[in-house]
Every structure is written in C-alpha cells, then in structure tokens.
Amino acid sequence: MNKYILLVTLVITFNCSQGQTLRMGPTLAYNYTLLSNSNISGLGEELNYLPTYCWSFGATGVYNFDQSLIGFEASLIYASHNQTYTGTEITGPGTYYTLSAQTKLKYLDIPLLFRLGDLKGFYFEAGPEFSFLMSSSCSVSYDPSDSAHLGSSGAFGGDFSGFSLSGIIGGGFTFMPTKTMFIDLGFKVGYGFTDVTSQISQNDSSAHSFTSTYANYTTFKFNRTSNYGYSPTTRLSAGVFISMTFLIEGDTKFNNRFR
C-alpha cells in the first residue's frame, strides 16, 4: 500500500509544481456514512440502519491554472466509515431480544478531483476516489443477554475488501482572508462502485462480522442451507468539510490579482 501512496504523492507533487497557483493545507470533514446492502434493506422492522456520523481528516492540495476557472484537487484522508444497526428478534409470545450492532471501518482515501470555479468564490468538483482499508472492527450486543444471545466483537478483516473505488461530487465556496491563505467550506457526496464486503462460503461456520453475515444471508434468523444468498455492499457518504490551505507557489499575475 505504501508504494501506491508514494506514487500518488509524487504524481500530485510533480503536476502541481508545474502550475502557477498551488496551495496546500489540512482538511477536516464530518460525514453521514452508510453501508447499504439489499439483504439488510429487505428485512423491514426486523433489522434497521441507524443514522451514523463520522469524522475524517487529512491534507489537501489545490492547483489552479492562473487566470482560469479550471483546477484540480488531490487529498490524503484518514476516513472513518461506520454503520450502526438495530434489530428485534422475537423468540416467543411476549419474548424478544433487542439487538445493537456496529461496524467501524478506517480507510485511507485518495480523491483526485476536477474543479470548476474561480480562485475565490463558488466552485464545483467531481472525480474518482481510491480507498485502502486500514482497519476494521465490529461489535454486537443483546438486551437482555443470555447464553444464546451473547455479545461479541472482533476485527474480521477478511470480511472486507482491501480496496474500493468511489465517485465523488461536491462543491463549496472559497474565502481568501489573506493573500496567502484560503478557506474552503463545502460538501461532498461519495458513491462506491466496488463491493465493500467479501462473499463467504455457505459451509463456513466460523465467526464473521455482522455486516458480512447479513450480506450473505437473506433473513434475520439466517439458515446456512435455506436462505443463503449474497448481495454486495455499497459504501455511501455525504458530509461537510472545511479546508485551510496556504499558497505555495504563484506567479506575478496571480499575486497582483489579489493585492
């Protein structure tokens, strides 16, 4: 994975250094995240998604062609992508168990976005995002808890794909408090084109994450012979962000323009 990060960083640095206006700095985002799967969506009130929000942070660089509305943005983002679930298992008249589960995924996201907009003011951006899974953790708890309904937790790294590809669209507004500092306020929406989870064997009796289990089974009380049926999981996100970048390189025309 390190070689991919190095390659992308070198390409970004080389391309941006040829431009007339390059700015770089930290970025912070707050996102709504969803791991969408048709098996889970089809379970109705038995199992539901809960709204889940996560922080992400990293560094970003923006290159604008001087005196042009065209630019590019590249970032290295350490992103959390979580999903919380709740469900009810009815075991008899007046007897039921409430389930709570959460999957936490950490990614290194590398968005490479085309930007359309002035150096100051409104802009639009879109492009691909390459993501590398850094870690995973999953937990399940029941209320009440008994010998047949015990809580569990684990990493389950094999349940999730190590790489994913998404499309990003967004927009925002760029402020320029000083001649060398920029503040971008905006939003981004991400849609995953590749499967987040991995298919497990129908005869596999080992423990798996909650998200992966119900990506492979079509009912809440899964049966390894009667309701096995895999459905891919899609990574979705939408959120707001703020970036503070500083001018690294700008020619005379650029400097004169904002004096």
Side-chain angles (χ1 to χ4, degrees):
M1 184 185 68
N2 290 334
K3 65 181 181 181
Y4 291 108
I5 299 173
L6 178 60
L7 177 61
V8 171
T9 303
L10 290 175
V11 170
I12 294 171
T13 303
F14 175 78
N15 288 335
C16 291
S17 64
Q18 309 305 308
Q20 298 301 310
T21 60
L22 169 64
R23 52 191 175 94
M24 302 180 69
T27 184
L28 178 68
Y30 188 63
N31 300 306
Y32 169 79
T33 60
L34 177 66
L35 295 175
S36 178
N37 186 282
S38 61
N39 282 355
I40 295 175
S41 300
L43 293 178
E45 293 304 314
E46 288 185 320
L47 184 62
N48 293 299
Y49 301 105
L50 289 180
T52 310
Y53 302 89
C54 310
W55 291 96
S56 62
F57 62 92
T60 188
V62 180
Y63 162 62
N64 283 92
F65 293 98
D66 193 33
Q67 305 291 332
S68 171
L69 297 179
I70 300 175
F72 296 94
E73 177 183 347
S75 306
L76 293 176
I77 307 294
Y78 184 73
S80 297
H81 196 108
N82 301 345
Q83 181 61 65
T84 304
Y85 311 88
T86 185
T88 302
E89 180 181 351
I90 299 175
T91 58
T95 305
Y96 63 90
Y97 294 84
T98 299
L99 172 146
S100 297
Q102 186 173 60
T103 293
K104 296 183 178 181
L105 305 177
K106 305 293 184 183
Y107 287 96
L108 176 64
D109 289 339
I110 306 176
L112 303 175
L113 307 179
F114 169 83
R115 287 171 64 110
L116 182 63
D118 208 344
L119 294 167
K120 294 197 304 183
F122 290 101
Y123 66 89
F124 168 83
E125 59 187 351
E129 179 177 78
F130 307 92
S131 301
F132 301 89
L133 183 66
M134 306 294 287
S135 66
S136 65
S137 64
C138 305
S139 61
V140 180
S141 62
Y142 292 90
D143 184 20
S145 177
D146 58 27
S147 59
H149 298 82
L150 297 175
S152 63
S153 62
F156 306 107
D159 286 358
F160 302 96
S161 174
F163 171 80
S164 61
L165 173 65
S166 303
I168 303 293
I169 60 171
F173 191 92
T174 302
F175 301 89
M176 193 173 178
T178 72
K179 291 188 295 184
T180 59
M181 184 174 73
F182 298 78
I183 295 178
D184 291 356
L185 296 176
F187 72 95
K188 290 179 182 176
V189 177
Y191 178 86
F193 298 122
T194 57
D195 190 4
V196 172
T197 51
S198 300
Q199 188 167 359
I200 61 178
S201 170
Q202 185 174 358
N203 298 320
D204 186 351
S205 60
S206 60
H208 290 277
S209 68
F210 187 90
T211 296
S212 178
T213 296
Y214 289 100
N216 283 274
Y217 292 90
T218 58
T219 66
F220 186 59
K221 297 180 181 179
F222 69 90
N223 183 293
R224 298 189 185 282
T225 58
S226 65
N227 65 309
Y228 178 83
Y230 183 72
S231 177
T233 302
T234 302
R235 181 185 177 192
L236 304 170
S237 64
V240 295
F241 71 91
I242 180 171
S243 299
M244 180 181 295
T245 55
F246 300 88
L247 183 66
I248 304 300
E249 181 178 338
D251 68 6
T252 303
K253 291 181 180 179
F254 173 83
N255 292 330
N256 289 337
R257 184 178 176 188
F258 293 105
R259 282 176 179 170

